[in-house]
Amino acid sequence: MASTTPTDLTPPPPAPPAAGLGDGKSTGRAGDRIFVALSRGSGILVLLLMASIAAFLTYRSVLGISKDEGNFLTTFDWNPAGDPPVFGIAVLLFGTVVSSIIAMVIAVPVAVGIALFISHYAPRRLATPIAYVVDLLAAVPSIIYGIWGALFLVPYLEGLNLWLDQFFGWTYVFEKTEVGVARSLFTVGVLLAIMILPIVTSVSREVFLQVPRMNEEAALALGATRWEVIRMSVLPFGRSGVISASMLGLGRALGETMAVATVLSPSFVISLHLLNPGGGTFAQNIAAKFDEANELGRDALIASGLVLFILTLLVNGAARLIIARRKEYSGANA
């Protein structure tokens, strides 16, 4: 029998990666060079567009804020056409954040439940049409939701508002102190929750469907129930995807314009009584006042748009950071 030396047991060195497949270099083929150039150019174009938008918004914002006689961050009034001009974003920032939080609190748990039902509970004959309807609802224009909210949701939410005031008015948040229809930040939050529900559901469903079948079968073989399989295998695997889906929904909630403008009764008053009519958001205020605004008024509206732009970037950046940290944690525990 031939002897085996230690050098014979040494595994061969790994083969170098093929050129053009991750090393940033293209092969000699014309198609590869064109693809690399288009990909790189598309990425650079996106960065240039973002930079140009930020530069334009910053320039016009500086022009407007320099003429503001109030504090742009804390003033509760919006009167850039006055003498002197006074405007601020305190009410708009409060209304945008509060309505978006209400929408997320309502929509995300329901969306995850629907996604789990479609992917792991419903039979295929039922799951397919439900998934189709959910995807279809995600494509409905905002103005349709706004008209439906104004004609149907607002009248029928008045009863819910009275019920919340009767049983939960002691929380101060659900105390209704003003008489009026339900054109409040709470109504806006409910409408936004209905609007972002299909988006969060669709993305979460696709993530749950990607769970390795072997993991679920292994849990079932150990005697786990259906819920235990979902809790131990499905939800941990899809947590990053659910976070991404939630951030997509939050982005739409922050920037929603026509639906909010149709439902909300705008007023520049900050109130923790969420059932009282009034409030405002960045997008709703821009849509309502852009046409009638003078040059200073448009600069002021652009300044508020810059704040919304920064807020959206911060939300997306926070989501990316959460997902990256969770991946590092999962890799360290693997």
Side-chain angles (χ1 to χ4, degrees):
M1 180 180 297
S3 60
T4 303
T5 62
T7 55
D8 297 332
L9 300 178
T10 304
L21 299 179
D23 59 352
K25 300 178 182 180
S26 60
T27 63
R29 297 181 180 179
D32 293 335
R33 293 197 301 269
I34 294 175
F35 178 76
V36 171
L38 290 177
S39 300
R40 185 179 292 113
S42 299
I44 295 175
L45 179 61
V46 171
L47 294 177
L48 291 177
L49 288 175
M50 293 290 292
S52 62
I53 293 173
F56 170 78
L57 293 177
T58 303
Y59 172 72
R60 295 293 296 268
S61 299
V62 171
L63 294 179
I65 296 175
S66 62
K67 301 176 182 178
D68 184 12
E69 296 297 328
N71 190 307
F72 182 69
L73 297 178
T74 60
T75 300
F76 284 22
D77 194 12
W78 190 272
N79 188 20
D83 187 17
V86 177
F87 52 89
I89 61 168
V91 176
L92 304 179
L93 181 61
F94 175 82
T96 301
V97 173
V98 169
S99 60
S100 299
I101 291 176
I102 295 174
M104 295 295 292
V105 170
I106 298 175
V108 172
V110 177
V112 172
I114 296 175
L116 288 173
F117 175 76
I118 295 174
S119 61
H120 287 80
Y121 283 95
R124 185 174 298 274
R125 293 181 180 179
L126 182 62
T128 301
I130 293 179
Y132 176 78
V133 172
V134 170
D135 294 339
L136 185 63
L137 289 175
V140 175
S142 301
I143 188 61
I144 302 301
Y145 281 109
I147 295 174
W148 174 82
L151 299 180
F152 180 84
L153 186 63
V154 169
Y156 281 92
L157 273 184
E158 185 62 27
L160 176 61
N161 288 356
L162 295 177
W163 183 84
L164 290 173
D165 179 42
Q166 180 180 357
F167 293 98
F168 297 96
W170 54 271
T171 62
Y172 188 85
V173 174
F174 293 115
E175 182 183 7
K176 187 176 177 63
T177 60
E178 297 182 9
V179 179
V181 295
R183 294 182 176 273
S184 60
L185 289 178
F186 178 76
T187 303
V188 171
V190 173
L191 180 60
L192 291 176
I194 297 173
M195 295 180 64
I196 68 177
L197 182 65
I199 299 175
V200 182
T201 301
S202 297
V203 179
S204 300
R205 181 194 73 232
E206 294 302 322
V207 173
F208 293 151
L209 289 174
Q210 301 302 319
V211 177
R213 186 64 180 173
M214 186 179 299
N215 294 358
E216 300 183 30
E217 293 177 351
L220 290 173
L222 292 175
T225 63
R226 180 68 64 87
W227 162 242
E228 290 173 338
V229 171
I230 291 176
R231 182 171 58 87
M232 294 185 299
S233 300
V234 178
L235 292 179
F237 180 88
R239 188 175 290 115
S240 298
V242 172
I243 294 174
S244 300
S246 302
M247 292 304 105
L248 285 176
L250 180 59
R252 180 171 187 181
L254 289 173
E256 182 52 47
T257 304
M258 297 310 300
V260 177
T262 306
V263 169
L264 186 63
S265 295
S267 66
F268 276 83
V269 177
I270 291 181
S271 174
L272 294 179
H273 298 293
L274 300 182
L275 302 182
N276 289 342
T281 65
F282 286 114
Q284 168 267 327
N285 187 61
I286 293 173
K289 298 186 176 181
F290 193 83
D291 286 341
E292 61 185 20
N294 55 17
E295 184 176 358
L296 177 58
R298 294 187 178 184
D299 290 340
L301 293 174
I302 291 174
S304 67
L306 176 62
V307 177
L308 180 59
F309 181 77
I310 296 173
L311 181 63
T312 305
L313 290 181
L314 291 177
V315 168
N316 292 332
R320 297 289 299 178
L321 182 61
I322 293 173
I323 294 173
R325 287 186 175 181
R326 189 162 297 278
K327 287 182 178 179
E328 293 178 359
Y329 177 78
S330 301
N333 292 340

